[in-house]
Amino acid sequence: MKKNSLTLRSVAGVGAVAVVTLVTLTQAGCATQVKSLPLAPVSAASSQGADVALYFGAQAHPAVQRQLGRVSYSVRIARTTDGPEASCNKALAQALQKVRADAREHGADAVVNVKTRFHSTETASATDYTCGVSPSAAAIAVEGERVVLHAN
């Protein structure tokens, strides 16, 4: 039976604890994956009964009557046991709820040009979204422009 082992020695004044810390930090970042996933299952489920419409990317929408500023929320959730896609879908759903609540609070009836992002990877698409997922969490940022589309 083959045994794997790791021997640590001080290297030019760097102690073994520092080497272990460096290796641990380096390996921790490697486990995060940036995923591009289909938007349809989440946007369809979250739009039922919604009083604030969401228009992703360059998706067509009625004429804007009034602009009310930008909205942006980040969500990080514990990863679920049913896989990375389900975790990302849950994170997106939570972020969209926050975006809608903020828009409602500011008197908007829609959020247009909605984009999703994980760190520097951004998606402005009507069909896909970007999410980061690790063995322990899923994370996403959602941003867009609060607007009034219908004259009140």
Side-chain angles (χ1 to χ4, degrees), residues 77-88:
I77 64 162
R79 184 168 165 182
T80 61
T81 57
D82 48 355
E85 187 170 328
S87 297
C88 282

Side-chain angles (χ1 to χ4, degrees), residues 50-99:
D51 57 339
V52 175
L54 300 175
Y55 296 92
F56 292 84
Q59 197 173 26
H61 56 78
V64 173
Q65 302 295 318
R66 191 173 56 213
Q67 294 188 348
L68 301 172
R70 298 200 53 78
V71 57
S72 178
Y73 280 96
S74 297
V75 171
R76 183 177 190 276
I77 64 162
R79 184 168 165 182
T80 61
T81 57
D82 48 355
E85 187 170 328
S87 297
C88 282
N89 287 347
K90 185 176 177 182
L92 176 61
Q94 284 186 16
L96 294 179
Q97 286 175 347
K98 288 182 178 197
V99 165

Side-chain angles (χ1 to χ4, degrees), residues 14-152:
V14 177
V17 173
V19 172
V20 170
T21 302
L22 178 62
V23 169
T24 302
L25 290 174
T26 303
Q27 294 303 312
C30 295
T32 301
Q33 298 175 335
V34 178
K35 296 203 166 278
S36 178
L37 298 167
L39 186 58
V42 181
S43 63
S46 69
S47 66
Q48 295 175 355
D51 57 339
V52 175
L54 300 175
Y55 296 92
F56 292 84
Q59 197 173 26
H61 56 78
V64 173
Q65 302 295 318
R66 191 173 56 213
Q67 294 188 348
L68 301 172
R70 298 200 53 78
V71 57
S72 178
Y73 280 96
S74 297
V75 171
R76 183 177 190 276
I77 64 162
R79 184 168 165 182
T80 61
T81 57
D82 48 355
E85 187 170 328
S87 297
C88 282
N89 287 347
K90 185 176 177 182
L92 176 61
Q94 284 186 16
L96 294 179
Q97 286 175 347
K98 288 182 178 197
V99 165
R100 276 196 170 105
D102 179 88
R104 195 176 302 112
E105 187 176 298
H106 285 86
D109 63 5
V111 179
V112 299
N113 302 322
V114 176
K115 301 174 186 175
T116 59
R117 177 178 51 80
F118 178 73
H119 292 297
S120 63
T121 304
E122 183 175 277
T123 300
S125 169
T127 59
D128 299 315
Y129 72 96
T130 297
C131 175
V133 66
S134 72
S136 63
I140 189 170
V142 176
E143 64 180 63
E145 301 167 28
R146 295 182 300 245
V147 298
V148 174
L149 297 179
H150 307 288
N152 293 332

